[in-house]
């Protein structure tokens, strides 16, 4: 049973995030802080035990004077501009990073506020800072401009990640911290810059990802597998990072289905989401989601859901009153704390979670390199990419030849099970099978799905993959390909996709309904593209049906 604790904060401003940092000395409890949208940090007492929470005093914050060499003075929060938000603890530098205005700041262990990058009062689009001139010494990248940086997360290895909303795509930025910021308790930097107090002092800002559909601003970092998790309105994606914090392979779907809203629990693509507003990770690699379930985000009914590392989605609490747009936070006592900006309160769920470590992971002793752990997914995929002589069937697709294993095909695909059955079709004992009407590129993806159970489908091949999967009796792959078609639809392409899906019928009837609803919702854009004339010429019945739906959507005259 969930224990929901709720109390109105008596602080000035609205709660804009919860963060923790190590205690002042060894053995002390962590210090938990609640940040307000006006730039204050208040101690949250009782967050390390189970005797009740209460708000303590505000921290005394400082900043350096405007001229070099000036002594510290009391920090003056910004009075105008976007509010403060998104506090994130970084164990590598022993600092709390946060957004203020259009800039990113940090709060040091001495409670000194320093500008990290951006201009708090000036908005702009960030550009990669990889040239020598902009990477030189200096207190901060003040010449880098942001447009509402949000959802700051740390990898504990010298990088901070944040999302920036933009048109046409949202971006994920990487802020590489200078070596001189590394906490002295850690090992010195590889080049000795931290130990000697020299080296570049600027933060390097670069674009890690700018890709439509793979995120809507919400970020979390999973320390258990070194991945960034990104959320949009309907799905979660996992982005593997390289050893140095740079981008690895393309993002892969973790849970949900792009373009399809819902409130269904389940594993991976069987789950549905409805408006995730923010996400955060716990110490076990689970992702916790706050979800706004109000119609078009008008009501303030919210939910909290958990996604395990294997993509299984479970609703933990629903019908919660409040609007939760700041990142959830796992308190040291295992409770999940969520800020409710509407009522200036803190909602706490007793879930018995594992909090994130506030200290850097200890360096592991050197050990002989071990071979990578083998997985079924990788081994099955290797049968395709690294033939070992065990293939006993050749598939000829429009002149291209694919080596395969008849036992695997028969076990994983009903089409091949029927065609390879002995005593049935004439092909049962054949050494070669011919599929002359298939697209080789689409078949290559289909074959990988048969062997591994998962495949990334490019938007350009999604229609071909969907048709071929339907023909070869693979409904799961057909549904995944249709979802890719739907996620990439636009005013210029929706009519063509609609006519294509209607022609195929059967398994594509759901896609027809979704495309029709999209076209009705964006009717003016579709009409402006001129493609309605094609729809009228090729399918008058479909055009008439769509017009009827469009008329019902229009508000009635009073």
């Amino acid at each position: 049973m969930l224990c929901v604790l709720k109390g109105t904060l008596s602080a000035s401003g609205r709660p804009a995030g919860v963060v923790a940092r190590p205690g002042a000395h060894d053995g002390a409890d962590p210090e938990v802080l609640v940040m307000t949208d006006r730039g204050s940090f208040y101690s949250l007492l009782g967050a390390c035990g189970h005797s009740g929470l209460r708000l303590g005093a505000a921290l005394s914050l400082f900043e350096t004077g405007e001229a070099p060499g000036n002594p510290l003075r009391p920090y003056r929060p910004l009075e105008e501009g976007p509010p403060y938000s998104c506090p994130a603890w970084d164990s590598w530098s022993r600092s709390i990073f946060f957004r203020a205005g259009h800039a990113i700041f940090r709060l040091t262990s001495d409670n000194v506020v320093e500008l990290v990058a951006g201009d708090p009062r000036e908005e702009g689009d960030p550009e990669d800072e990889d040239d020598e001139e902009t990477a030189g010494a200096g207190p901060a990248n003040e010449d880098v401009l942001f447009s509402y940086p949000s959802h700051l997360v740390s990898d504990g290895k010298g990088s901070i990640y944040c999302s920036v909303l933009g048109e046409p795509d949202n971006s994920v930025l990487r802020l590489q911290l200078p070596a001189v910021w590394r906490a002295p308790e850690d090992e010195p930097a590889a080049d000795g810059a931290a130990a000697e107090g020299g080296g570049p002092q600027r933060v390097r800002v670069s674009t890690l990802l700018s890709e439509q559909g793979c995120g809507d601003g919400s970020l979390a970092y999973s320390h258990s597998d070194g991945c960034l998790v990104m959320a949009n309105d309907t799905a979660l994606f996992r982005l593997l990072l390289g050893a140095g914090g740079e981008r690895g392979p393309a993002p892969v779907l973790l849970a949900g289905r792009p373009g399809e809203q819902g409130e269904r629990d389940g594993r991976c693509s069987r789950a549905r989401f409805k408006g995730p507003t923010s996400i955060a990770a716990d110490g076990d690699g689970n992702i916790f989601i706050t979800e706004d379930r109000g119609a078009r985000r008008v009501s303030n009914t919210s939910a909290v859901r958990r996604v395990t590392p294997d993509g299984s989605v479970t609703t933990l609490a629903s019908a919660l009153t409040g609007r939760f747009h700041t990142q959830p936070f796992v308190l040291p006592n295992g409770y999940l704390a969520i800020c409710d900006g509407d009522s200036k309160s803190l909602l706490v769920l007793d879930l018995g979670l594992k909090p994130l470590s506030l200290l850097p992971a200890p360096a592991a002793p050197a050990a002989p390199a071990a071979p990578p752990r083998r997985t079924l997914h990788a081994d099955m995929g290797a049968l395709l990419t690294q033939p070992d002589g065990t293939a006993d069937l050749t598939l000829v697709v429009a002149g291209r030849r694919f080596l395969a294993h008849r036992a695997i095909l028969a076990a994983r695909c009903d089409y091949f099970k029927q065609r390879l059955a002995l005593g049935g079709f004439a092909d049962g004992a054949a050494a070669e099978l011919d599929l002359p009407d298939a697209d080789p590129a689409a078949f290559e993806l289909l074959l990988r799905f048969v062997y591994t159970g998962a495949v990334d489908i490019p938007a350009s091949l999604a229609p071909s993959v969907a048709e071929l999967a339907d023909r070869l009796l693979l409904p799961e792959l057909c549904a995944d390909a249709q979802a890719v078609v739907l996620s990439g639809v636009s005013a210029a392409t929706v009519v063509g996709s609609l006519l294509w899906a209607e022609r195929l019928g059967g398994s594509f009837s759901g896609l027809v309904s979704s495309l029709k609803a999209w076209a009705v919702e964006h009717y003016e854009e579709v009409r402006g593209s001129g493609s309605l004339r094609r729809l009228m010429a090729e399918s008058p019945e479909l055009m008439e049906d769509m017009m009827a739906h469009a008329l019902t959507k229009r508000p009635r005259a009073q």
Side-chain angles (χ1 to χ4, degrees):
M1 180 179 294
L2 297 179
C3 175
V4 181
L5 308 175
K6 190 170 183 180
T8 302
L9 303 180
S10 59
S12 173
R14 301 176 184 274
V18 181
V19 68
R21 60 184 180 181
H25 55 82
D26 290 342
D29 286 337
E31 182 182 24
V32 182
L33 302 170
V34 178
M35 182 184 189
T36 72
D37 60 355
R38 297 183 183 178
S40 299
F41 286 87
Y42 289 81
S43 297
L44 184 63
L45 307 179
C48 298
H50 303 274
S51 58
L53 299 174
R54 61 192 185 281
L55 206 63
L59 298 185
S60 295
L61 307 181
F62 303 92
E63 62 183 348
T64 57
E66 295 181 358
N70 281 3
L72 296 178
R73 65 186 184 189
Y75 174 63
R76 295 171 294 180
L78 302 175
E79 296 181 357
E80 299 179 354
Y84 288 72
S85 65
C86 311
W89 166 250
D90 174 55
S91 59
W92 190 85
S93 63
R94 297 292 203 276
S95 303
I96 295 173
F97 288 78
F98 59 92
R99 194 276 300 276
H102 297 288
I104 296 174
F105 289 75
R106 73 163 178 156
L107 178 67
T108 69
S109 57
D110 297 326
N111 291 341
V112 177
V113 176
E114 298 178 347
L115 177 64
V116 171
D119 186 316
R121 294 178 178 83
E122 185 175 355
E123 179 182 359
D125 295 323
E127 296 180 358
D128 286 0
E129 297 295 313
D130 290 332
D131 57 280
E132 258 183 44
E133 183 179 352
T134 56
N141 272 340
E142 296 171 306
D143 50 342
V144 176
L145 299 180
F146 297 105
S147 175
Y148 300 103
S150 63
H151 298 90
L152 275 63
V153 294
S154 163
D155 65 1
K157 303 174 185 177
S159 293
I160 303 295
Y161 304 91
C162 69
S163 59
V164 177
L165 301 182
E167 293 293 343
D169 303 331
N170 301 326
S171 299
V172 176
L173 304 183
R174 177 191 177 206
L175 283 69
Q176 185 177 354
L177 307 182
V180 293
W181 285 7
R182 192 170 189 175
E185 293 85 359
D186 281 341
E187 296 179 5
D191 60 2
E196 299 173 8
Q201 297 187 39
R202 281 199 171 207
V203 173
R204 288 180 180 269
V205 180
S206 59
T207 300
L208 184 74
L209 179 70
S210 181
E211 196 164 320
Q212 187 176 19
C214 282
D216 198 19
S218 301
L219 289 180
Y221 182 81
S222 174
H223 291 266
S224 62
D225 56 10
C227 289
L228 274 180
V229 178
M230 306 171 290
N232 64 19
D233 279 344
T234 57
L236 264 67
F237 299 85
R238 179 190 281 124
L239 177 65
L240 181 65
L241 300 176
E246 69 278 1
R247 174 180 173 174
V252 296
L253 184 69
L254 173 61
R257 176 163 289 176
E260 292 190 20
Q261 284 198 344
E263 302 174 6
R264 187 171 74 199
D265 290 347
R267 187 171 180 270
C268 300
S269 61
R270 292 177 175 82
R272 295 293 183 271
F273 297 101
K274 187 177 181 182
T277 54
S278 196
I279 61 177
D282 70 358
D284 289 324
N286 299 308
I287 302 299
F288 293 87
I289 302 170
T290 58
E291 193 172 66
D292 189 341
R293 292 185 171 178
R296 295 188 177 273
R297 302 194 178 183
V298 173
S299 73
N300 59 350
T301 301
S302 301
V304 177
R305 308 178 77 183
R306 176 180 59 206
V307 183
T308 58
D310 69 351
S312 298
V313 180
T314 305
T315 299
L316 303 178
S318 59
L320 299 173
T321 300
R323 195 178 293 274
F324 313 131
H325 288 270
T326 61
Q327 289 156 294
F329 183 79
V330 181
L331 299 176
N333 59 10
Y335 292 176
L336 185 69
I338 309 170
C339 296
D340 180 4
D342 283 352
S343 61
K344 295 187 179 182
S345 63
L346 196 66
L347 181 69
V348 182
L349 307 179
D350 183 2
L351 300 176
L353 307 178
K354 179 181 178 180
L356 293 172
S357 173
L358 301 178
L359 301 175
R373 182 178 178 181
R374 296 182 62 173
T375 65
L376 179 62
H377 177 99
D379 288 345
M380 293 289 287
L383 289 176
L384 288 173
T385 58
Q386 304 167 21
D388 58 1
T390 60
D392 56 359
L393 183 67
T394 300
L395 300 166
V396 183
V397 183
R400 185 173 169 187
R401 304 170 72 84
F402 297 88
L403 297 178
H405 303 75
R406 66 176 65 239
I408 294 176
L409 296 180
R412 296 275 297 146
C413 177
D414 288 344
Y415 170 85
F416 288 112
K417 181 179 181 180
Q418 296 171 14
R419 191 165 175 184
L420 295 173
L422 294 176
F425 290 89
D427 298 328
E432 287 192 1
L433 291 184
D434 193 23
L435 281 79
D437 299 328
D439 178 356
F443 183 78
E444 184 176 9
L445 295 175
L446 181 143
L447 195 58
R448 175 159 292 277
F449 178 85
V450 168
Y451 273 70
T452 66
V455 68
D456 292 327
I457 306 171
S460 59
L461 286 175
S464 298
V465 172
E467 282 195 59
L468 188 59
D470 185 50
R471 172 184 161 193
L472 300 191
L473 307 180
L474 289 170
E476 296 85 358
L477 179 60
C478 182
D480 290 346
Q482 290 183 41
V484 175
V485 172
L486 183 60
S487 67
V489 72
S490 68
T493 64
V494 65
V495 167
S497 297
L498 193 53
L499 291 169
W500 164 77
E502 184 195 32
R503 173 177 57 83
L504 294 171
S507 303
F508 293 78
S509 59
L511 180 59
V512 170
S513 298
S514 297
L515 290 169
K516 190 187 304 180
W518 192 97
V520 169
E521 185 176 353
H522 301 82
Y523 179 77
E524 295 300 328
E525 301 169 46
V526 176
R527 187 176 67 172
S529 71
S531 57
L532 288 180
R533 288 189 293 272
R534 178 187 174 189
L535 183 61
M536 186 180 301
E538 297 186 28
S539 181
E541 297 84 0
L542 190 56
M543 179 67 183
E544 183 180 357
D545 186 37
M546 199 175 79
M547 287 291 295
H549 281 80
L551 290 174
T552 61
K553 293 285 185 180
R554 293 185 178 180
R556 295 182 179 179
Q558 300 294 324

